Structures are given as structure tokens and as C-alpha cells.
Amino acid sequence: MFTSCSRSFISMCRTGTARYVSVAPAHTLRQTIIDTSFVPSRGPQPNRIVPRFWTGTPALDSSVYQVDCHNAPAEGKVDDTLRNQIRSTFEKIGLVHLVNTGLGSDQARLKELAGVVLDHPMEYTGGANSRNQTEDQVPYVYETGAPKEAYLQYHHEMAYVSKSTTMLAFCCTQAVEGKGAMFVADNVKATDMLMATPFGQKLREKGICYVRKLTDRKEFEGRSEVEVYNHWQQSFSTEDPAVAEVLANQRGLQVEWGPGRFMTTRYYVSAFEYFPPLDRNLMFASLADDAMWFDTWPGICNVPDKERPLELTYGDDVSFTQEEKQQFIDVYDEVGIPIVWSAGDIALVCNWRFLHGRPQYDLNRGEQRHLAVVLGPTFDRIGAVDGKY
């Protein structure tokens, strides 16, 4: 189960009480700049839950996880001191924001620098969200694949299949000051908050079910795809429905086929996932896997909830109440942390200890924001372990 990424975590304090230490002088760390004046032109419909992503104060100070590279990578000087600083920060915190790399838009070198921690990238072979390689065609570097008009609720990557990823590396090749920040949420704190509520106990007892509905590409030949999220051909990288079903089964998914080769998958699993380095169960679910993911997604936001591509229920197939959904969103918003981008930045994110997401953002003519993502080694989901909450 453990690759070099997860093996490095084993050296962490298993009690979860490791002190957070500053890794760079405060004056060298980038100030958080967030554009709060942008009012989205495409808002959610009435009575929709709108995530805030943070309280206005980061749940973790940037001095804890931000590493100033002083342009050393651009000069080919990633020495042992910098390498150890990056690795130790990731092991202690589960989050590293590399700034001042000097690498700009060079995806190959950004991936190489991310490899200080993420040294065994995963080849994306199947899931619900599209993963296309970037235009630069650097191996294992993928597009993030979401429109700027949509807000992306906090989520763990690939929580909806039995083989998930240990970590992610987000590489910024283009940025606009004050726009398009990414956010991460401290999942250790969020888990503690949820477990202190009846809702958290209910999640523990019932588990959850991920329902995903995938269209058939051939059914849309010559037709508008404005209301399409993902075809099963794109999701599983095959044109053969039999192969798609085998791949889905390998990921723990139950498959149903409907008219027009419409594919519905269900994955029943614990809402928690055991994290060995802390020797405890952490929440591993969010409402990013529900219909509300599409509340501001162009085209699909006009589709009724029950017809949208995603649905999240309890493990007994009962839907969450509106109050429970609000509580789920609020918990992660309370522990949100902004990652403010400049070209050449990298964010290394542990998929257990942090969730990621972002609000909508707007760009003026000529402005560009571009993130590429590298997925870390896979691990087999085991869910919660008894006695480890």
C-alpha cells in the first residue's frame, strides 16, 4: 500500500500533535491577496448553499507551509538544504506552497521540482472528471478541467473510487494577481469538528454512496454538449462499454446501464479513511460529489438536481437533508486556507490531511490563469478502522 510518499509520512508524529514550525522568515513570505470585489455573473439558483471557502482568516498561517525557493530551481540549484526543507514541511504539515521558484511556465521543470516529494506520479486511467494532458504534453501532467465560472466545493481527489491518490501537486504556469486563488481545508480539524456533532456520528454509522451518471459520447454526435459533464468513454479511456464496466468494477463500482448506453455507477464506502501516520480515521467525503457541484457550472446548472451527473447519499441510499448539507459545507469553510498563485508556484497537498477547492473567478481580456496537476501514487481505500476515531 505504501509508496515513497506514504513511507515518508511514517516518520511523522503518530499522535497528530506535532508542532507546526516556521520554514522561512516572515518577511520573505508572500502576502495573501484575495480579490473580494468580484461578484459572479452566474450565481446559484435561489435556496442554494454557497460555500465561503474560509472565514477571512486562514486556518493555518502561511509561514507554516510556505517555502521560499529564492529562484534556486531556475538556476539548477535544488541543494540538500532546500530539498530537506520541502520534504520535512510536507511530512509535518501535509501541505507545501513553493514560491519564487523562477520556473515560470516550464511544466517539465515544475514537475521535476514537485518530484522532490511526489516522485512516483500516477497515470490517470479512470474516474468521473475528465483528465486531459496539458498542451505541453509533459507525461503525467494533466489539466485541472473545470470552468472558471464554477465554484468547486472542497473535496478529496478520487474519493469516489476504491483506488485513490496519496497526494497532488498543483503547478501554476500563468496567474493574475488577486484572482483565481485555490483554497485548501485542514481535514484534521474538520474531522474533529464533525465528530463532535450528531451529523458526524451519523456519517460514521451509515457510511455513504457515491452515484455517478455518465453519458455516451455516440449519443451526442452532432448534438450540443452544453449540459454534458463527462462521457464514460472519456472517464475510462475506452470506447468499449464492456471494458469500461471491468475498469469500474476494478475500482469498486457497481454498474448499471440504461437506455442510450447511459452508465450509472455506485460506490458504497465509509465516509472516513484510515491515515496510518496519524493512526486515526479522517473524514474522506464532501459535497463536491453531490448535485450541488454543478450549481454554477455553465449549462449543467440548469439541469434538475436528480438528473445531474453526481449524487451523494448515505450508505442506505437516503439523501442528506438541507441542514446536513449546510453543516457539511460550513465545517470545511471554517478551516479554509487560501493559496495565492504566481507563475512558477507549486502546491503539494496531502489528499488525506487536506481538501482542495476554489471559488468562481473572473478574468479580463488578455489575462490568463492556468494550473496543471500531477497525481501522486495510488492507495487502496480501506475505509475506517475500528477504534481509530
Side-chain angles (χ1 to χ4, degrees):
M1 173 178 175
F2 297 108
T3 59
S4 59
C5 165
S6 48
R7 277 197 302 269
S8 68
F9 263 118
I10 299 303
S11 65
M12 294 171 53
C13 174
R14 291 177 180 271
T15 65
T17 57
R19 294 181 59 193
Y20 293 152
V21 296
S22 177
V23 295
H27 69 273
T28 69
L29 300 175
R30 181 178 307 149
Q31 297 296 309
T32 297
I33 303 173
I34 305 291
D35 180 9
T36 57
S37 63
F38 169 49
V39 178
S41 60
R42 182 186 296 275
Q45 300 171 10
N47 301 318
R48 295 292 185 179
I49 298 171
V50 180
R52 295 175 292 121
F53 293 97
W54 68 325
T55 62
T57 300
L60 198 60
D61 190 80
S62 62
S63 63
V64 170
Y65 60 83
Q66 197 174 97
V67 174
D68 192 332
C69 297
H70 301 288
N71 291 316
E75 299 168 4
K77 299 177 181 178
V78 182
D79 58 19
D80 288 343
T81 299
L82 179 58
R83 192 182 309 275
N84 291 337
Q85 186 180 25
I86 295 170
R87 288 176 176 170
S88 64
T89 303
F90 188 75
E91 288 181 358
K92 292 173 183 174
I93 311 302
L95 173 68
V96 183
H97 183 192
L98 302 178
V99 302
N100 298 326
T101 68
L103 297 178
S105 61
D106 190 334
Q107 289 186 11
R109 296 196 64 192
L110 287 168
K111 177 195 163 196
E112 181 182 1
L113 180 57
V116 168
V117 175
L118 198 164
D119 54 357
H120 287 85
M122 178 184 81
E123 182 176 0
Y124 188 83
T125 56
N129 195 16
S130 301
R131 286 285 181 227
N132 295 315
Q133 273 198 297
T134 61
E135 291 182 359
D136 290 6
Q137 294 293 301
V138 178
Y140 307 110
V141 180
Y142 300 97
E143 297 286 357
T144 52
K148 69 182 187 301
E149 296 86 357
Y151 55 65
L152 309 181
Q153 288 91 343
Y154 280 122
H155 60 285
H156 298 279
E157 197 70 18
M158 299 179 71
Y160 47 80
V161 287
S162 63
K163 292 183 181 295
S164 187
T165 182
T166 56
M167 65 172 295
L168 305 94
F170 293 94
C171 304
C172 179
T173 58
Q174 293 176 296
V176 179
E177 184 176 350
K179 296 183 178 182
M182 186 179 85
F183 285 74
V184 295
D186 187 329
N187 193 39
V188 176
K189 293 178 181 178
T191 299
D192 291 340
M193 294 166 66
L194 279 167
M195 288 302 291
T197 68
F199 175 51
Q201 295 300 323
K202 193 174 177 181
L203 286 168
R204 172 182 175 176
E205 294 167 7
K206 288 193 168 191
I208 53 176
C209 177
Y210 296 92
V211 183
R212 317 191 88 73
K213 308 161 190 176
L214 304 173
T215 47
D216 176 33
R217 181 185 291 142
K218 291 185 178 180
E219 289 291 312
F220 283 84
E221 290 178 352
R223 296 169 52 190
S224 170
E225 296 193 4
V226 68
E227 294 184 352
V228 171
Y229 178 53
N230 202 7
H231 300 305
W232 56 259
Q233 289 94 334
Q234 174 67 33
S235 181
F236 293 100
S237 301
T238 181
E239 298 296 321
D240 188 336
V243 173
E245 184 165 349
V246 169
L247 291 171
N249 293 159
Q250 290 174 353
R251 286 155 180 77
L253 309 180
Q254 300 177 15
V255 177
E256 296 177 9
W257 293 98
R261 299 202 304 179
F262 187 86
M263 184 183 193
T264 300
T265 68
R266 286 180 171 82
Y267 179 47
Y268 293 89
V269 68
S270 170
F272 297 80
E273 189 66 26
Y274 178 67
F275 183 48
L278 296 183
D279 191 27
R280 62 170 296 187
N281 301 320
L282 295 176
M283 180 62 64
F284 209 71
S286 76
L287 287 171
D289 294 288
D290 190 53
M292 66 183 300
W293 175 259
F294 301 103
D295 282 353
T296 52
W297 197 286
I300 308 178
C301 64
N302 300 315
V303 176
D305 281 12
K306 282 296 183 182
E307 298 176 20
R308 291 183 181 182
L310 305 180
E311 182 180 4
L312 186 70
T313 71
Y314 285 111
D316 58 4
D317 300 316
V318 174
S319 298
F320 295 105
T321 67
Q322 190 75 353
E323 291 75 18
E324 289 170 335
K325 288 185 177 183
Q326 183 70 66
Q327 188 173 0
F328 219 171
I329 293 294
D330 288 346
V331 164
Y332 292 130
D333 288 348
E334 286 293 316
V335 292
I337 305 159
I339 304 293
V340 182
W341 294 114
S342 289
D345 284 5
I346 299 173
L348 302 166
V349 183
C350 170
N351 201 33
W352 281 281
R353 294 187 66 177
F354 288 89
L355 304 88
H356 61 279
R358 64 154 174 80
Q360 301 163 304
Y361 62 93
D362 195 21
L363 295 174
N364 297 325
R365 185 184 299 274
E367 294 179 335
Q368 296 288 331
R369 174 204 187 262
H370 184 257
L371 293 184
V373 63
V374 184
L375 303 173
T378 60
F379 73 94
D380 293 321
R381 289 204 57 185
I382 62 171
V385 172
D386 291 342
K388 297 298 182 181
Y389 286 97

